[in-house]
């Protein structure tokens, strides 16, 4: 712009063309253009000299306006929807072009269409610089490329998943090989990462894999119950990234790419015959990576973690998280539900018969829940087709039956009178089968509620004096009133043996 001002100044001073060209070094054609534009403007040099450089540029360097290309503008307006469609499985640019040319017969050809679409997608997109707070977030993901282990007896190669975690502020990285992306492997890997860092971040940012997210949502995704329980145990939040938004977990995306060059390359020429051996090699390469000085910095990831982030992490709980599996069953009439994994039966309170309950079981414990309330707890027993019973879960009648023992009967009889205790003890010893003796004892002791302890005691004393031990003889004594203080013993003929059966018993 200063060169244009100088040219116009010389021109207003009536300096010849060739002299202006000689002084400014400008070509003849642009010189004529500037002077012609100056004349057309109708302004004086003093007025032009007061203009800003921007105004002067608009006056003398106006771009040549091209007519608007309606066809191009229409195509550019379609690109955002096409870009979204291209993310669908099976969709290609060829299909998009065919739909475009079908709706716009005068549109661009396939080659030009691809050029314009590629140029549109390569447009610069602004990226927000995010300042990571120490101890705030742990980013986790699985690497796209897998590692492998070899089954030594058969030589079969098995691919394994690679779990990667990174803290936002210090970039301290954790890598572990696991058998799959299922909950059984994913959650223990997350726990091992927290143990590796020695603390708990404020939130864990994960991908939308099934082991972590039950139902995706841009605003409030539904977390898998087991993973949510894991977060509750460690007092941390679970923050799934938005679908198709890898920038939400950019640190771990970068960590995965770095792992390919600094960890994978060191394991390429090695064979591992177990997951433990592979993870040992990974930790060795990982330790070297974390202690390496970061390019353009003066500290390593480990140094920054120790100085900045370690103290900001929440403390680990005293007990490690116990991985739990989930099952749903309906309580049968016998109050014992079957744990499908072990085929073992566990009792639940009898008033939940017919209810659908939730079972959470770990390697050590089995818990039953109904409407978010725990109704039963058992230590896990892996012995198939056997029963674990808590007597409090049974109905009162069934509980009474299960609590029956010889000592129980003797104790109940002793509370009435020592002679009743003696009488019951003899019955328990004289019968051939336990259940037979128990039924007689129940009948004899049941008279205490009907006639009172005193009359039952006298009846047992009278029957003992005659050497007979039976429910029916006690019943006969009480019915005929022979336990009263009267001399009516001669009215009852007692047999010599104590194992009385048949109608002769009453004669």
């Amino acid at each position: 712009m200063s060169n244009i001002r100088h040219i116009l100044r010389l021109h207003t001073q009536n300096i010849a063309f060739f002299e202006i060209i000689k002084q400014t070094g400008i070509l003849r054609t642009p010189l004529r253009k500037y002077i012609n534009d100056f004349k057309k403007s109708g302004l004086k040099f003093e007025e032009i000299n007061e203009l800003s450089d921007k105004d002067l540029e608009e006056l003398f360097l106006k771009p040549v306006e091209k007519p608007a290309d309606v066809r191009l503008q229409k195509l550019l307006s379609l690109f955002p929807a096409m870009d979204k469609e291209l993310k669908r499985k099976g969709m290609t640019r060829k299909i998009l072009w065919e739909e475009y040319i079908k709706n716009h017969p005068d549109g661009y050809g396939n080659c030009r269409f691809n050029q314009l679409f590629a140029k549109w997608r390569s447009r610069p997109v602004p990226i927000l610089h995010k300042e990571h707070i120490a101890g705030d977030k742990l980013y986790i993901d699985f690497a796209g490329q897998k590692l492998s282990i070899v089954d030594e007896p058969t030589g079969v190669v098995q691919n394994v998943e690679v779990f990667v975690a990174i803290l936002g502020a210090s970039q301290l990285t954790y890598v572990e090989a696991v058998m799959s992306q299922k909950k059984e492997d994913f959650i223990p890997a997350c726990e091992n990462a927290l143990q590796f860092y020695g603390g708990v971040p404020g939130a864990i940012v994960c991908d939308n894999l099934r082991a972590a997210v039950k139902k995706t949502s841009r605003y409030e995704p539904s977390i898998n119950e087991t993973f949510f329980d894991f977060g509750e145990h460690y007092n941390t939040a679970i923050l799934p990234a938005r679908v198709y938004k890898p920038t939400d977990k950019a640190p771990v995306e970068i960590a995965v790419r770095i792992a390919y060059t600094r960890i994978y390359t060191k394991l390429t020429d090695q064979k591992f015959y177990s997951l433990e051996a592979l993870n040992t090699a990974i930790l060795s390469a990982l330790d070297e990576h974390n202690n390496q000085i970061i390019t353009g910095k003066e500290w390593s990831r480990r140094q920054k973690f120790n100085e900045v982030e370690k103290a900001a992490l929440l403390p680990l709980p005293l007990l490690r998280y116990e991985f739990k599996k989930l099952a749903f069953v309906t309580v049968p009439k016998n109050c014992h539900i079957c744990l499908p994994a072990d085929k073992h039966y566990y009792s639940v309170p009898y008033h939940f018969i017919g209810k659908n309950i939730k079972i959470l079981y770990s390697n050590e414990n089995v818990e039953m829940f109904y409407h978010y309330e725990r109704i039963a707890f058992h230590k896990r027993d892996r012995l198939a087709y056997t029963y674990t019973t808590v007597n409090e879960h049974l109905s009162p009648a069934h509980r009474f039956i299960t609590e029956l023992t010889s000592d129980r009967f003797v104790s109940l009889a002793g509370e009435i009178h020592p002679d009743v205790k003696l009488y019951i003890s003899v019955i328990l010893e004289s019968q051939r089968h336990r259940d037979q003796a128990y039924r007689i004892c129940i009948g004899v002791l049941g008279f205490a509620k009907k006639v009172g302890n005193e009359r039952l005691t006298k009846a047992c004393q009278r029957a003992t004096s005659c050497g007979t031990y039976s429910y029916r003889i006690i019943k006969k004594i009480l019915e005929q009133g022979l336990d009263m203080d009267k001399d009516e013993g001669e009215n009852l003929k007692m047999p010599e043996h104590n194992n009385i059966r048949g109608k002769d018993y009453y004669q």
Side-chain angles (χ1 to χ4, degrees), residues 6-19:
H6 184 50
I7 291 171
L8 296 179
R9 182 183 295 107
L10 295 176
H11 173 69
T12 54
Q13 294 175 359
N14 298 321
I15 304 298
F17 265 40
F18 69 90
E19 188 65 27

Side-chain angles (χ1 to χ4, degrees), residues 199-269:
V200 182
I204 297 177
V205 181
C206 61
D207 204 352
N208 286 273
L209 69 163
R210 188 174 294 275
V213 179
K214 186 165 58 175
K215 186 177 181 181
T216 61
S217 171
R218 181 180 180 88
Y219 305 103
E220 191 175 3
S222 179
I223 310 299
N224 183 285
E225 288 187 8
T226 307
F227 195 40
F228 180 80
D229 186 48
F230 169 83
E232 289 294 303
H233 179 81
Y234 283 100
N235 194 26
T236 185
I238 307 298
L239 298 177
R242 294 171 295 171
V243 180
Y244 301 120
K245 295 292 183 181
T247 52
D248 287 357
K249 50 184 180 62
V252 73
E253 297 286 344
I254 298 172
V256 168
R257 292 201 296 268
I258 294 176
Y260 291 153
T261 59
R262 296 190 179 180
I263 296 178
Y264 278 55
T265 53
K266 296 182 179 180
L267 309 177
T268 304
D269 299 328

Side-chain angles (χ1 to χ4, degrees), residues 340-386:
D342 303 327
K343 303 297 182 184
H344 188 88
Y345 295 83
Y346 299 91
S347 66
V348 296
Y350 71 94
H351 49 270
F352 290 100
I353 292 175
K355 305 294 185 182
N356 188 265
I357 66 172
K358 179 173 69 175
I359 306 175
L360 285 178
Y361 60 98
S362 62
N363 290 331
E364 301 294 332
N365 303 317
V366 179
E367 299 174 274
M368 292 80 165
F369 294 84
Y370 181 70
H371 288 175
Y372 307 103
E373 179 183 357
R374 191 171 78 176
I375 60 175
F377 175 84
H378 297 275
K379 287 292 183 181
R380 188 172 179 181
D381 190 339
R382 300 178 186 275
L383 188 60
Y385 306 108
T386 55

